[in-house]
Amino acid sequence: MKSPAPSKTKKLIKEALGNGALRSAVFKATESSALSRQKIIDQIPYWEDLRDKAHLIKKDVIENLSKYLTQFERNCELNGIAVHWASDSAEAQKIILDIAKQNNVTKVVKSKSLTTEEIHLNDFLKANDIESLETDLGEYIVQLNDQIPSHLIIPAMHLSRKDIGELFAKKLGVEYTEDPAQLLLTARKILREKFLAAEMGITGVNFAFAANGSFCVVENEANAHNTLSLPPIHIAVMGLEKIIPDVSMLPYFLKLLPANATGQKSSTYVNFIGGPTGSAYGEGPEQIHIILLDNGRTKILKDPVLRESLYCIRCGACLNACPVYQQIGGHAYGWVYMGPIGSVLIPQFLGEKEGRLSPFLSSLCGACTTVCPTKINLPHHLLTLRSRIVDSGNSKFIERNAIKIWSKLGSNAKVYRLMSRIASFFQSKLFFNSPLRVPGYNKERQFPLIHSEGFRARFLKMNGDKKNG
Amino acid sequence: MDSRNSILKRIQEAGCYSADTSEHSSTIDLKISESIKSITPESKKDLWDQFKKEIELVAGAFYKTENINASAEIIIKFLTDSKISRVGISNEEICLKTALKIKEIESGLKIISPSQFDHAERKKEYAVTEAAVVNPSFAVADTGTLVFTLKGAGTSYPHFLCDNIFALIDESRIVPNQFELFRRLRREEMKEMFFVTGPSRTADIEKVLVLGAHGPRNLTVLMSENIAQ
Ligand code: SF4
């Protein structure tokens, strides 16, 4: 599966900007998502209060993470759910493989989960001769296309119906059609069989509840419910931050999440799982395992300001609001998290060297923060990360040194004056008074002309004019 | 040190602090509950009107019927028109009663109930059954949501594997919103339940909405004033 690295972002952006079809697909989809979101919010007069509340709940959780996680662990065990802790991807993969081997599992169905994308689970299972099939339609499409999702909520946002029709015809051997209903029908038929035959189901977790040791999965397609209820073994992979103190706090999030994610008042299904149901109801999983995944989250927790990025509930609204994402789509970010939240998470998860370009993929317009349901101050975190990347020596050589020289010259008034005169002289003589282009941008983006008089002289003159006037 | 302890150690070393936000939090709660109060209909009738509006917005259908006989007639009409010969039911008594009523009128129908089959057979049977009669525990007015507890239903296969769902519900089971719902649910029930708001759907291809993704294509709510009669 193609999983481009964030350090290749420049090349990926060039490719994305040169792909008109992709840009128009992403632009249309983000625009329409933003509009339907707004329609729902207009009907909820207490929307801003909900955001404040969600922010406080998440703050409490993140500041008291070990308390809630151990409480959750205790209650899960009382409910018969096996709890596993994984420090990184490799450990999470091993836990899943061990469970699969112990139970002779060869067929797995999965429902959409960014956390399992984060640990590259499909590739890993495939390498171990276990069929692992995505069942969310968008995820199924990108898996068939050997790609990763390009949006947190709409995984195949970058593909047109024509692309998908051609893909199905090529990979599934069905007749070409562009009709979304027919395409869905094809996928539904194939996946229904897979659900019934699967020996293990794997999902993510939207919210886990410390006080009663249960969790929930929110969805629209019913694939998550089928994944949870049909195979005899269930594994849920959960980032440490997905916990909330109690299930009674869920209504706040169940208003915020669907409105922001898909422009719905309520998602079609919310599934609550509180233990193996097999023995009680004669159906449902006989074993439930939950994996609490760190994979860099405790590193993020170390920073008292940046830990706010763990408040994210992966609603995708910041992507839809971001003018940069709208132009380049998700793959250009080079990782499973994209858009403004991706730009904040990438350098924190993958390190400042690998993620050195990510925080710069933003105009800092602040649109992301105004839509964020948990009020994460994304532009502020982007700036903090930018300065970290510079401090750690991971910014570009030319940029770093140009700024150094500039700060030296700019902090001495006499030198500054002299340099501006020289620069103005060279500009008029060598470049015929035409402005210089800003490197890396289009030709309309230019530096302003260096004024021949210099700021000080103009300021004194202006002041003199005022006094005389 | 095992992973559990090393993760917990790392969390502790991160040096988090907990500022007391309870006062701020209660102020927000108060604002939210006042705002909700100002937009919540007071009478049961108005709540059901709101529910009807919301469920129709998400492509569900809603009928008010007098009793289960009337509900059974609506279901039979649909089954006959669609040439459906198998009906799945969930465990609640009302579903069985309705199924028997349906069979009384249409004797050729086959009723699939959860207690008839073991796990492996059960899922196969429901997967080839096109209609189901189910009984939600609550209806949530402000979102058009139905709430099913596994304790009540004893199964979730009919709700998810059958294409056409008929949800029978008593008029008394309406709650204005999810905040109220969580006050009414018992703690144990909250662990194993599912919320349903309309038929299953996807908009994963160019954001075109298509119903019947991996679950039902149709959802019809039949509300009766006194369902037990
Ligand atoms: S950062 Fe906020 S807006 Fe963006 S995905 Fe996360 S919760 Fe949603």
Side-chain angles (χ1 to χ4, degrees):
Chain A
M1 178 157 310
K2 260 188 233 160
S3 178
S7 57
K8 307 261 163 35
T9 241
K10 247 184 161 172
K11 185 174 158 271
L12 297 167
I13 290 173
K14 264 206 180 125
E15 280 170 20
L17 289 176
N19 184 342
L22 170 113
R23 289 176 65 194
S24 111
V26 173
F27 192 75
K28 264 202 260 167
T30 50
E31 280 276 295
S32 97
S33 297
L35 280 174
S36 36
R37 171 186 178 272
Q38 196 53 49
K39 265 193 204 157
I40 298 296
I41 291 174
D42 289 345
Q43 299 171 53
I44 307 176
Y46 48 97
W47 179 259
E48 286 306 314
D49 300 317
L50 282 175
R51 291 177 70 218
D52 286 336
K53 182 73 189 183
H55 179 89
L56 284 185
I57 294 173
K58 279 301 206 177
K59 185 177 168 56
D60 172 42
V61 164
I62 298 304
E63 301 293 346
N64 296 286
L65 200 52
S66 61
K67 178 180 99 181
Y68 289 123
L69 286 173
T70 46
Q71 190 188 2
F72 177 66
E73 178 191 39
R74 243 188 344 267
N75 288 322
C76 277
E77 282 166 359
L78 287 175
N79 291 335
I81 298 176
V83 181
H84 309 260
W85 299 70
S87 283
D88 53 24
S89 296
E91 201 177 353
Q93 289 173 344
K94 187 177 174 304
I95 294 167
I96 295 169
L97 186 63
D98 286 349
I99 299 169
K101 279 193 172 156
Q102 278 156 22
N103 293 281
N104 301 321
V105 169
T106 55
K107 293 183 209 94
V108 170
V109 281
K110 267 189 79 229
S111 83
K112 187 154 77 76
S113 146
L114 291 156
T115 319
T116 58
E117 294 283 352
E118 200 186 303
I119 61 170
H120 307 291
L121 189 57
N122 285 336
D123 288 347
F124 173 77
L125 290 176
K126 193 174 161 195
N128 283 283
D129 298 324
I130 296 175
E131 179 191 75
S132 170
L133 206 61
E134 292 292 348
T135 58
D136 169 86
L137 180 65
E139 285 272 354
Y140 179 67
I141 293 166
V142 293
Q143 189 183 28
L144 266 187
N145 210 21
D146 207 16
Q147 287 179 314
I148 58 170
S150 66
H151 189 277
L152 299 181
I153 302 294
I154 314 162
M157 183 189 263
H158 58 290
L159 297 172
S160 67
R161 60 179 86 186
K162 187 170 164 280
D163 297 331
I164 298 165
E166 283 167 358
L167 177 72
F168 275 30
K170 191 174 150 209
K171 294 270 172 93
L172 304 174
V174 293
E175 207 175 302
Y176 172 81
T177 172
E178 289 185 8
D179 178 7
Q182 282 306 314
L183 291 165
L184 168 66
L185 205 62
T186 303
R188 178 183 154 116
K189 265 193 202 147
I190 295 171
L191 291 171
R192 185 54 77 97
E193 292 303 316
K194 298 286 181 184
F195 280 126
L196 293 170
E199 294 138 348
M200 182 190 274
I202 301 180
T203 63
V205 168
N206 285 96
F207 301 96
F209 316 114
N212 73 353
S214 65
F215 60 94
C216 79
V217 181
V218 181
E219 55 149 349
N220 281 316
E221 294 188 6
N223 65 308
H225 188 92
N226 290 345
T227 305
L228 283 161
S229 63
L230 292 169
I233 302 166
H234 183 70
I235 300 183
V237 186
M238 160 187 156
L240 299 178
E241 78 283 15
K242 290 291 175 72
I243 196 117
I244 61 172
D246 189 41
V247 64
S248 60
M249 291 174 174
L250 193 61
Y252 303 109
F253 294 99
L254 288 186
K255 288 243 173 280
L256 291 163
L257 179 62
N260 256 11
T262 42
Q264 289 169 287
K265 252 190 199 166
S266 169
S267 298
T268 309
Y269 301 108
V270 185
N271 307 290
F272 295 79
I273 302 96
T277 51
S279 53
Y281 304 107
E283 67 179 50
E286 289 146 22
Q287 288 178 42
I288 299 186
H289 301 263
I290 189 153
I291 300 176
L292 305 178
L293 178 70
D294 179 351
N295 207 27
R297 286 162 175 84
T298 50
K299 203 174 83 196
I300 297 179
L301 202 65
K302 272 191 192 155
D303 187 301
V305 179
L306 287 172
R307 71 172 61 133
E308 200 188 58
S309 45
L310 294 173
Y311 297 7
C312 176
I313 59 168
R314 312 276 189 262
C315 73
C318 59
L319 279 60
N320 301 336
C322 176
V324 175
Y325 179 90
Q326 285 182 349
Q327 293 301 325
I328 63 175
H331 287 156
Y333 292 80
W335 203 44
V336 293
Y337 301 117
M338 62 290 283
I341 186 63
S343 301
V344 168
L345 291 178
I346 290 168
Q348 297 191 81
F349 269 112
L350 304 183
E352 278 147 16
K353 189 163 189 290
E354 184 64 40
R356 64 191 176 277
L357 300 172
S358 311
F360 296 89
L361 301 182
S362 167
S363 67
L364 299 176
C365 67
C368 46
T369 278
T370 59
V371 297
C372 179
T374 52
K375 290 193 145 178
I376 303 174
N377 193 343
L378 292 155
H380 179 265
H381 302 326
L382 288 168
L383 280 172
T384 308
L385 287 161
R386 284 181 188 187
S387 94
R388 284 231 182 126
I389 283 160
V390 173
D391 290 346
S392 62
N394 279 307
S395 58
K396 272 192 280 179
F397 175 81
I398 297 185
E399 208 174 88
R400 204 163 55 234
N401 288 298
I403 301 280
K404 252 188 211 157
I405 295 170
W406 166 255
S407 70
K408 277 256 155 31
L409 298 180
S411 52
N412 183 321
K414 273 188 195 154
V415 179
Y416 180 81
R417 248 189 336 262
L418 181 69
M419 291 310 296
S420 10
R421 288 226 183 96
I422 295 172
S424 146
F425 173 80
F426 277 111
Q427 187 165 47
S428 62
K429 296 296 167 207
L430 293 181
F431 301 102
F432 310 104
N433 255 346
S434 51
L436 293 176
R437 272 177 61 180
V438 180
Y441 286 83
N442 61 19
K443 60 178 186 291
E444 275 70 41
R445 188 83 186 248
Q446 297 164 335
F447 286 113
L449 276 175
I450 304 162
H451 204 281
S452 52
E453 269 180 303
F455 173 75
R456 205 175 134 85
R458 286 161 70 201
F459 183 75
L460 288 172
K461 204 165 125 194
M462 265 167 57
N463 238 12
D465 287 353
K466 247 194 208 164
K467 273 184 198 157
N468 295 339
Chain B
M1 197 184 297
D2 66 4
S3 294
R4 175 189 187 274
N5 291 329
S6 59
I7 291 172
L8 290 172
K9 188 164 173 260
R10 285 198 291 275
I11 296 174
Q12 256 130 34
E13 281 169 1
C16 299
Y17 71 97
S18 60
D20 184 12
T21 52
S22 50
E23 201 178 315
H24 187 193
S25 196
S26 333
T27 319
I28 298 170
D29 274 336
L30 201 65
K31 278 169 77 183
I32 293 177
S33 64
E34 272 166 14
S35 181
I36 291 178
K37 214 168 148 195
S38 70
I39 55 167
T40 302
E42 275 177 13
S43 73
K44 209 159 260 177
K45 184 192 167 295
D46 291 344
L47 285 173
W48 276 111
D49 285 347
Q50 189 184 25
F51 178 87
K52 178 177 187 294
K53 190 184 126 222
E54 292 301 332
I55 199 164
E56 284 172 355
L57 281 173
V58 292
F62 179 90
Y63 298 96
K64 187 176 174 185
T65 65
E66 264 175 34
N67 48 34
I68 57 167
N69 288 1
S71 297
E73 270 163 32
I74 294 177
I75 299 171
I76 289 168
K77 182 167 178 351
F78 175 85
L79 298 177
T80 333
D81 290 354
S82 325
K83 299 193 172 65
I84 291 174
S85 57
R86 290 162 64 95
V87 184
I89 56 169
S90 57
N91 250 350
E92 299 89 348
E93 208 191 323
I94 196 70
C95 299
L96 190 62
K97 268 192 187 166
T98 312
L100 291 175
K101 190 86 226 159
I102 294 172
K103 207 169 159 57
E104 206 179 287
I105 306 169
E106 281 294 320
S107 57
L109 277 176
K110 188 165 182 207
I111 308 292
I112 311 293
S113 83
S115 53
Q116 283 172 280
F117 307 99
D118 68 9
H119 179 212
E121 281 306 306
R122 197 193 281 185
K123 61 183 175 185
K124 280 190 209 145
E125 289 291 330
Y126 280 107
V128 292
T129 302
E130 287 166 287
V133 179
V134 296
N135 175 218
S137 302
F138 290 101
V140 183
D142 75 336
T143 50
T145 301
L146 299 172
V147 177
F148 297 87
T149 62
L150 213 49
K151 200 167 175 46
T155 176
S156 66
Y157 291 166
H159 312 73
F160 286 85
L161 294 177
C162 304
D163 256 359
N164 305 286
I165 306 297
F166 293 91
L168 309 175
I169 188 163
D170 191 85
E171 195 188 26
S172 62
R173 307 305 291 171
I174 189 93
V175 290
N177 50 55
Q178 284 177 6
F179 294 98
E180 183 55 31
L181 172 74
F182 276 90
R183 281 191 277 272
R184 299 270 291 270
L185 284 165
R186 284 191 291 273
R187 295 289 296 176
E188 271 310 297
E189 285 177 325
M190 292 179 195
K191 286 186 191 166
E192 278 145 14
M193 59 178 183
F194 46 96
F195 296 173
V196 176
T197 311
S200 78
R201 66 200 53 223
T202 181
D204 272 349
I205 302 175
E206 285 192 8
K207 295 220 71 201
V208 178
L209 178 69
V210 190
L211 297 179
H214 295 289
R217 288 168 223 265
N218 295 305
L219 172 68
T220 306
V221 177
L222 301 167
M223 184 272 276
S224 308
E225 259 170 45
N226 192 345
I227 207 167
Q229 272 181 3

